[in-house]
Structure formats: C-alpha cells, structure tokens
Amino acid sequence: MLEFRYDTQLLIEGEDLDEDTISEYFTNNFKGDCLLAVGDDEMIKIHFHTNEPWKVLEYCASLGEIYDIVIEDMDRQSRGLKG
C-alpha cells in the first residue's frame, strides 16, 4: 500500500505566479510527496502525490485557470489495473 495514492498533475495559467510561494504552500498545507512546481510568472506545472487531490485542485484554481488535469490512482496501477 502506498502512503500517498494519487499522482496529481496539472497546469496553472495566471499572473504573478511564484513557484517558490506555491511550493511553500504545498509543504505547509498538504500531506504528500514528490512535489514539483516549476514554471514562470504566467504558467506553473504541478506534480504531487497526495491522498486528497481535490484540495490541490481547489488551491490551484484559486491561483488561476487550471487545465491538463491528470489524477492517477497509483495503487490501482501497482495492481495492474487501469486508473
């Protein structure tokens, strides 16, 4: 069993985005691992393993438009199932 089940990936498009501020928010407010928040002040790519992907989506949507959202269940994948 994985500690953090959902691989959550998305893009945020907005204004004055700061990858350091976003990374710090994730670290202080979400349980998870494998955080990647890279980009520039107009677009950030997020990759994060968590058990609560809806919280990630909610926060990211507050920063700008979110799209290319992918949430994969890594537990199902490890058992050879789709999802």
Side-chain angles (χ1 to χ4, degrees):
M1 185 77 167
L2 299 168
E3 183 177 4
F4 300 107
R5 182 173 182 162
Y6 299 102
D7 177 4
T8 307
Q9 302 175 51
L10 61 107
L11 295 172
I12 309 167
E13 186 173 11
E15 297 178 8
D16 300 321
L17 299 173
D18 184 322
E19 60 190 36
D20 293 330
T21 301
I22 293 169
S23 292
E24 185 176 321
Y25 187 90
F26 270 73
T27 301
N28 293 332
N29 293 282
F30 301 135
K31 293 180 181 175
D33 64 10
C34 297
L35 174 61
L36 177 68
V38 296
D40 57 30
D41 63 342
E42 294 179 353
M43 183 168 302
I44 300 284
K45 163 84 174 174
I46 298 292
H47 174 268
F48 190 57
H49 297 171
T50 183
N51 290 328
E52 302 172 318
W54 56 90
K55 290 184 179 182
V56 171
L57 296 178
E58 183 177 43
Y59 168 66
C60 291
S62 75
L63 301 174
E65 182 179 353
I66 59 174
Y67 63 98
D68 286 350
I69 301 163
V70 177
I71 300 172
E72 297 179 324
D73 185 334
M74 296 184 299
D75 182 57
R76 288 181 55 84
Q77 289 177 340
S78 71
R79 293 183 284 134
L81 303 170
K82 296 204 181 245

